[in-house]
Amino acid sequence: MLFTPTRIEGAYILDVELLQDRRGHFARTFCQKEFEQYGLNSQVVQCSISSNNKKGTLRGMHYQLTPSKETKLVRCTRGAIYDVTIDLRPDSPTYLSHVAVELTAENNRALYIPAQCAHGFQTLANNAEVFYQMGDFYQPEYSTGVRYDDPTFGIEWPLPISEIAQKDRTWLPYSAFI
């Protein structure tokens, strides 16, 4: 696997190294040793999938408060998404910065999201499916989010929003937390 650091400290884009022959290709998508070499949480305690019917669907921006140590490895397994993470760690040199990357079933890319960073995505195709590997158990009592359109972060979503949960539409602006 190829680990490319993003401008958010501890967040990485992961590309697979395809081994191809006439049958197709094979690639490793996770390796505990390689994650540990980059100082990343290599523990996977839960996996989830998200199915999204309509192009333009937005999910996010979600994160877990301390003491949760939930990290995520996110991959698009069908279709395409515009995947975004926001650094919400006040002691981080990249505090309030965001990174966006296009993840598709074809490019086989993944985004590693550190703990206390918000995550969300917008689908770029109908019937997009997203696969998550989490490094800590989901804890509803620490679950929260920030507004997807908060000017504090300056995220430019690529499409008009076709679907969004009421919860995601009504998160408070980040200024309410600081």
Side-chain angles (χ1 to χ4, degrees):
M1 294 183 308
L2 305 172
F3 291 73
T4 303
T6 69
R7 68 182 177 160
I8 292 181
E9 188 175 314
Y12 285 82
I13 297 169
L14 278 69
D15 287 295
V16 297
E17 293 184 279
L18 297 178
L19 302 173
Q20 296 188 43
D21 63 24
R22 61 186 178 86
R23 298 170 296 171
H25 70 264
F26 177 86
R28 182 173 49 229
T29 61
F30 180 82
C31 177
Q32 180 182 5
K33 287 180 183 178
E34 289 183 62
F35 271 63
E36 290 172 355
Q37 286 173 352
Y38 284 88
L40 306 180
N41 182 1
S42 64
Q43 182 176 5
V44 176
V45 299
Q46 287 183 321
C47 296
S48 301
I49 58 171
S50 167
S51 177
N52 304 275
N53 300 329
K54 290 175 81 174
K55 179 180 180 176
T57 296
L58 194 138
R59 291 183 186 254
M61 302 297 297
H62 310 138
Y63 67 106
Q64 296 272 297
L65 297 168
T66 303
S68 173
K69 302 277 190 227
E70 183 185 69
T71 57
K72 294 179 184 174
L73 181 63
V74 180
R75 180 179 310 280
C76 184
T77 53
R78 184 174 59 231
I81 63 171
Y82 185 77
D83 203 45
V84 177
T85 187
I86 304 169
D87 189 346
L88 297 179
R89 303 167 293 179
D91 58 341
S92 169
T94 55
Y95 179 56
L96 303 182
S97 296
H98 77 276
V99 167
V101 60
E102 189 172 318
L103 306 178
T104 72
E106 287 74 34
N107 71 17
N108 295 301
R109 278 194 150 164
L111 182 62
Y112 177 87
I113 300 159
Q116 278 79 54
C117 289
H119 171 253
F121 64 85
Q122 185 178 43
T123 59
L124 302 176
N126 290 332
N127 300 311
E129 183 178 84
V130 181
F131 179 70
Y132 303 78
Q133 292 172 255
M134 277 78 75
D136 196 5
F137 294 101
Y138 174 73
Q139 300 176 62
E141 66 273 23
Y142 299 118
S143 182
T144 190
V146 293
R147 290 205 34 109
Y148 68 95
D149 60 353
D150 189 324
T152 302
F153 311 120
I155 301 168
E156 294 183 25
W157 298 99
L159 300 172
I161 296 169
S162 62
E163 297 284 338
I164 185 170
Q166 183 64 21
K167 175 176 81 169
D168 292 346
R169 184 183 306 282
T170 58
W171 289 119
L172 293 175
Y174 191 66
S175 60
F177 295 98
I178 53 176

